[in-house]
Amino acid sequence: MVSWKRKCGGGGESPARGAGEEKAVPRGHVPMLLAGGANGEEGERVLVPVRLLSDPSVAELLEMAAQRYGYGQPGVLRVPCDAGHFRQVLDGAMHRCGGISSSA
């Protein structure tokens, strides 16, 4: 299962002490921020199961992230992809791994 959370802008929270539920990452998942907007703004925070990282389609997105942002990204991994395309890639990867679709 893939967990989707919209990153909240503004508010009175400091970046280092955001909402506790968004900082907690379940075992076996990797947090990612989708940066697919026209101006590269970070959009949705996604928790991706580690087992999907080896899928060729997901690996291609990770390579795009490395080319755009470098391998030494501080904090959560940013991926240059819009949410709709990212969902399609993860749904395909989950289907190939025998998992459940993220839209279910």
Side-chain angles (χ1 to χ4, degrees):
M1 172 182 242
V2 178
S3 176
W4 296 85
K5 295 182 185 244
R6 180 158 311 276
K7 184 176 177 187
C8 298
E13 298 175 354
S14 71
R17 298 194 64 191
E21 68 184 66
E22 284 203 1
K23 297 296 179 187
V25 178
R27 174 176 275 161
H29 289 75
V30 176
M32 296 185 187
L33 288 175
L34 304 183
N39 55 4
E41 285 185 18
E42 295 170 351
E44 292 187 59
R45 180 178 185 261
V46 183
L47 298 176
V48 179
V50 171
R51 66 185 171 90
L52 297 183
L53 298 180
S54 63
D55 182 83
S57 299
V58 177
E60 184 177 334
L61 290 177
L62 294 175
E63 181 60 33
M64 287 173 48
Q67 289 175 4
R68 183 158 186 182
Y69 304 114
Y71 286 101
Q73 292 186 46
V76 178
L77 178 65
R78 289 174 293 167
V79 179
C81 184
D82 66 79
H85 179 66
F86 197 78
R87 279 189 179 104
Q88 290 177 345
V89 169
L90 289 184
D91 281 346
M94 291 185 98
H95 179 72
R96 286 186 288 279
C97 289
I100 301 171
S101 168
S102 66
S103 60

